[in-house]
Amino acid sequence: MKKYCFGIDIGGTSVKCGLFDVKGEVLDKWEIKTRTENNGIYIIPDVAGAINNKILEKQLEREDIAGVGIGVPGPVNEAGDILCAVNLHWGYVNLVEQMEKLIGLPVKAGNDANVAALGEMWKGGGAGYHNVVMVTLGTGVGGGIIINGQIVTGSHGAGGEIGHVHVEDSMEEACNCGNKGCLEQVASATGIVRLANARLAADAEPSVLRDGEVSAKTVFDAVKAEDKVAMEIAESFGKYLGSALSVIAGVVDPEVFVIGGGVSKAGDILLDYIRKYYNTYAFSACKDAVFALAELGNDAGIFGAAKMIL
């Protein structure tokens, strides 16, 4: 009978690590630095070392450990190979094979956004549901799709790349992916700033946003204060994201959309703008989808990674 598992979330700055029991209780959490120099050659040995050291520290028997789940910022195929992880300076990396050799335990790997979605379905904002779409609104827009409790990976590991759905034909600036007009360019934290700056430049209508730094936070703080210009910016954001999610719903028909990332700290008012346009455009059978805020924060990745093993 297995007693433990590890959940690992590899980010561009740090690696979050968790030791779990098989019921999903966190027994220990810690972080190590992500050493991305020399094309990230140290990352896998560093993670393996962190796991092996924890096994020694806790005096765990390896036969009691179900395995190690790992989330990484890039496409992961079903064999656990990383095709490319730009923030880690990785090209192709056979992550699962290398890690299993170093730790002597079963390993599973997945895209970090998909893994976070699995975590939120298990212990967070999507708990109680088995068909979940998670959207993370941060510097970019990430996504994860869970159908019948299973991550949708796709043939290239790119399942759930919601941020790169095309939503705007007139965009002249290129997205980080190389295309133009991606959802990420208008619905991320930086996208909201782009919408805000365009609106503020359109005329001289008074707004508190003219008095200081413009950020996603200041926009939604101004929305809560019923600033007219800020509310127009939020309407534009809501239309882009709500209509994009209505298209996603027509394909995967989720029970719940879980909204996470730094922008989600705006709270329920954010969901109101998204839901308004989702309900306008969604297919009738999909209109009763629930919208919920993510609950696990930065721990979603380690929870989801553990769940992949369990």
Side-chain angles (χ1 to χ4, degrees):
M1 180 71 178
K2 302 299 184 182
K3 299 178 181 178
Y4 311 104
C5 71
F6 288 92
I8 307 294
D9 181 15
I10 302 178
T13 304
S14 67
V15 179
K16 298 176 180 65
C17 309
L19 171 64
F20 293 78
D21 67 20
V22 292
K23 295 180 181 178
E25 295 298 320
V26 183
L27 303 178
D28 198 0
K29 289 194 303 182
W30 73 104
E31 294 186 13
I32 62 172
K33 186 179 185 297
T34 306
R35 294 198 289 162
T36 57
E37 57 266 31
N38 296 328
N39 295 320
I41 62 171
Y42 306 114
I43 297 172
I44 293 175
D46 284 352
V47 173
I51 293 166
N52 286 330
N53 289 340
K54 189 60 64 173
I55 291 171
L56 287 173
E57 176 194 328
K58 299 290 187 181
Q59 297 183 332
L60 306 179
E61 299 293 337
R62 286 182 189 268
E63 54 265 31
D64 291 336
I65 302 170
V68 178
I70 304 176
V72 295
V76 183
N77 67 21
E78 291 189 352
D81 298 328
I82 316 305
L83 308 182
C84 178
V86 176
N87 290 341
L88 304 182
H89 299 176
W90 281 354
Y92 172 83
V93 174
N94 51 352
L95 173 61
V96 167
E97 181 181 327
Q98 290 186 45
M99 190 65 72
E100 286 184 341
K101 287 181 179 178
L102 291 171
I103 62 175
L105 293 168
V107 175
K108 290 185 179 180
N111 169 267
D112 56 357
N114 289 339
V115 169
L118 191 64
E120 288 288 345
M121 181 203 76
W122 186 33
K123 295 288 186 179
Y129 300 101
H130 294 93
N131 296 286
V132 179
V133 172
M134 183 172 177
V135 185
T136 53
L137 306 175
T139 305
V141 173
I145 298 173
I146 310 294
I147 299 298
N148 295 328
Q150 301 295 316
I151 291 174
V152 174
T153 302
S155 57
H156 303 95
E161 287 288 356
I162 293 167
H164 301 290
V165 171
H166 181 83
V167 297
E168 178 53 70
D169 289 339
S170 66
M171 186 73 67
E172 296 183 0
E173 186 178 347
C175 176
N176 288 334
C177 76
N179 292 334
K180 296 179 180 180
C182 292
L183 180 64
E184 182 167 296
Q185 293 182 277
V186 291
S188 62
T190 49
I192 291 168
V193 171
R194 178 181 283 107
L195 295 178
N197 288 335
R199 174 61 189 87
L200 292 168
D203 56 42
E205 185 167 355
S207 170
V208 297
L209 295 174
R210 299 186 188 279
D211 299 335
E213 178 190 3
V214 176
S215 67
K217 182 182 187 302
T218 59
V219 168
F220 277 96
D221 285 347
V223 169
K224 292 171 185 176
E226 299 186 353
D227 181 279
K228 184 173 181 293
V229 171
M231 292 168 75
E232 290 176 15
I233 297 163
E235 289 283 351
S236 182
F237 156 83
K239 185 172 183 178
Y240 278 121
L241 185 51
S243 60
L245 294 184
S246 75
V247 174
I248 301 299
V251 179
V252 301
D253 189 17
E255 298 166 280
V256 60
F257 289 98
V258 178
I259 311 298
V263 177
S264 71
K265 292 178 182 177
D268 289 333
I269 196 166
L270 181 86
L271 301 185
D272 292 341
Y273 282 96
I274 303 168
R275 189 186 292 111
K276 172 182 176 181
Y277 287 97
Y278 174 83
N279 287 336
T280 299
Y281 298 115
F283 178 59
S284 57
C286 303
K287 287 184 185 290
D288 64 351
V290 175
F291 281 79
L293 294 169
E295 296 177 1
L296 297 178
N298 290 332
D299 288 344
I302 61 171
F303 272 92
K307 181 60 175 172
M308 278 198 299
I309 290 294
L310 299 178

